Amino acid sequence: ALLRVRDGGALRLREIETLLGARGADVSAVCHAADELRRETVGAGVSFVVCRNINYTNKCMFTCTFCAFSKGRAAEKLRGAAYELEEEEVARRTAEA
């Protein structure tokens, strides 16, 4: 599987499962191959992007199950108190992002 990827070939589902299931020394081989491919593809530089959802509150009345952090009446004692950020904090987080 590593050789196929190295040569630009597509992997079959079973090969992907094998790579994701690697343990011990095999993990090192997979990581080394991935690092070599990354280096050849994009160079040695590494970067990241701060991508942030700014949740100005965790108070929720909809109970839509979209997020796991909302606080409705039934969850008042779970995961800390409900909050509402001040405008200054929202602005600070926006600038940071």
Side-chain angles (χ1 to χ4, degrees), residues 10-32:
L11 295 178
R12 291 184 217 97
L13 178 59
R14 183 70 189 126
E15 292 170 316
I16 294 169
E17 290 171 342
T18 299
L19 292 175
L20 292 174
R23 299 293 180 264
D26 290 340
V27 172
S28 295
V30 170
C31 290
H32 180 75

Side-chain angles (χ1 to χ4, degrees), residues 1 5-6 21-23 33 35-36 41 56 60 72 77 80-81 88 94:
V5 171
R6 184 90 174 93
R23 299 293 180 264
D35 191 44
E36 278 186 16
T41 304
Y56 59 90
C60 179
K77 292 186 170 54
E88 294 79 18
T94 301

Side-chain angles (χ1 to χ4, degrees), residues 19-70:
L19 292 175
L20 292 174
R23 299 293 180 264
D26 290 340
V27 172
S28 295
V30 170
C31 290
H32 180 75
D35 191 44
E36 278 186 16
L37 184 59
R38 177 205 48 82
R39 190 178 309 273
E40 290 174 11
T41 304
V42 298
V46 177
S47 64
F48 68 96
V49 174
V50 175
C51 183
R52 173 180 277 201
N53 292 326
I54 301 172
N55 301 306
Y56 59 90
T57 185
N58 65 349
K59 295 177 185 174
C60 179
M61 304 312 249
F62 299 108
T63 62
C64 66
T65 68
F66 173 72
C67 61
F69 63 87
S70 66

Side-chain angles (χ1 to χ4, degrees), residues 72-94:
R73 288 188 185 99
E76 287 178 356
K77 292 186 170 54
L78 298 175
R79 299 179 307 274
Y83 65 84
E84 227 171 270
L85 297 179
E86 299 291 330
E87 286 184 32
E88 294 79 18
E89 179 61 12
V90 173
R92 185 193 71 74
R93 292 182 184 191
T94 301

